[in-house]
């Protein structure tokens, strides 16, 4: 029991999912723009710091994918919140001329690479990362189209919601020792053969 830590993945998934949902209520035009102030603090602490910490703890468990993903997206939320705060407050020189297209596009490329890896983890993560790739693509295009930006908001709600579901499923299934909420865990071909034997 010494040295064993709890599974940090649900914390990372909740931090990512809830912050994504909050921001995309605003992107979709569902909420008042004043919600952005709350999203900033949420992005710094829950989506950012808590998720970043989950990534650090994933290193301890030996989960390379979880460590890479949670640390990266935790840093993403901190950087995005810092940029929005600086942009809205006029703290950055020439902030009005910064093109967010490249920012979202590069994160989309990173997410696409991670999405391919999820096919060997679970169907739930395939959906989370697949919808995230679509979200980043729409956010990038949405820099030049209000309509596409609004569509991105709805995709973001689905993406964040799927991450929250995956987090809940992980906590519930581990705590109650069963498969109460399915995530479609990947089964290696060799394991499938063992089950048939």
């Amino acid at each position: 029991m010494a040295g064993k830590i709890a599974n940090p993945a649900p914390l990372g998934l909740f931090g990512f999912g809830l912050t994504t949902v909050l921001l995309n209520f605003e992107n979709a035009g569902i909420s008042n723009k004043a919600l952005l102030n709350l999203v900033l603090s949420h992005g710094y602490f829950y989506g950012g710091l808590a998720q970043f910490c989950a990534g650090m703890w994933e290193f301890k468990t030996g989960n390379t994918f979880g460590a890479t993903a949670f640390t990266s997206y935790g840093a993403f939320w901190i950087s995005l919140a810092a940029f929005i705060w600086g942009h809205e407050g006029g703290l950055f020189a020439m902030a009005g001329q910064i093109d967010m297209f490249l920012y979202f596009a590069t994160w989309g490329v990173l997410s696409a690479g991670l999405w391919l890896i999820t096919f060997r983890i679970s169907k739930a993560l395939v959906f989370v990362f697949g919808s995230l790739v679509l979200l980043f693509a729409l956010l990038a295009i949405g820099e030049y189209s209000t309509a596409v930006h609004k569509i991105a908001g709805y995709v973001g709600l689905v993406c964040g919601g799927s991450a929250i579901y995956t987090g809940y499923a992980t906590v519930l299934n581990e705590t109650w020792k069963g498969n109460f909420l399915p995530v479609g865990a990947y089964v290696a071909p060799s394991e499938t053969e063992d089950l048939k034997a």
Side-chain angles (χ1 to χ4, degrees):
M1 197 70 175
K4 183 178 180 181
I5 67 170
N7 184 355
L11 173 62
L13 288 163
F14 288 149
F16 172 82
L18 286 173
T19 312
T20 300
V21 165
L22 280 175
L23 177 61
N24 284 286
F25 272 126
E26 197 274 328
N27 285 340
I30 296 172
S31 68
N32 188 290
K33 276 193 172 289
L35 179 67
L36 190 60
N37 297 319
L38 177 61
V39 174
L40 286 180
S41 59
H42 209 269
Y44 276 124
F45 294 102
Y46 199 43
L49 180 61
Q51 188 180 182
F52 189 90
C53 288
M56 293 293 102
W57 291 319
E58 286 283 25
F59 279 107
K60 174 70 174 175
T61 69
N63 182 353
T64 305
F65 179 87
T68 304
F70 292 137
T71 305
S72 296
Y73 292 110
F76 163 80
W77 276 115
I78 294 170
S79 72
L80 182 62
F83 170 75
I84 295 173
W85 178 64
H87 180 272
E88 298 298 320
L91 300 179
F92 298 148
M94 301 177 67
Q97 299 179 30
I98 295 175
D99 188 348
M100 293 294 287
F101 174 85
L102 287 176
Y103 181 78
F104 291 129
T106 52
W107 276 99
V109 171
L110 172 68
S111 300
L114 292 174
W115 173 64
L116 293 175
I117 298 170
T118 63
F119 282 86
R120 288 292 184 99
I121 303 175
S122 73
K123 291 177 182 176
L125 284 180
V126 169
F127 187 88
V128 172
F129 277 84
S131 59
L132 180 59
V133 171
L134 178 59
L135 172 59
F136 276 127
L138 292 173
L139 285 173
I141 298 168
E143 286 296 296
Y144 307 106
S145 168
T146 304
V148 174
H149 184 82
K150 189 170 184 178
I151 293 170
Y154 286 101
V155 171
L157 293 175
V158 173
C159 176
S162 66
I164 293 168
Y165 168 85
T166 307
Y168 271 122
T170 305
V171 172
L172 180 66
N173 294 343
E174 288 189 11
T175 304
W176 285 6
K177 313 296 183 191
N179 189 30
F180 298 95
L181 286 177
V183 293
Y186 172 76
V187 179
S190 59
E191 295 177 19
T192 305
E193 292 302 317
D194 291 339
L195 291 174
K196 290 180 181 177

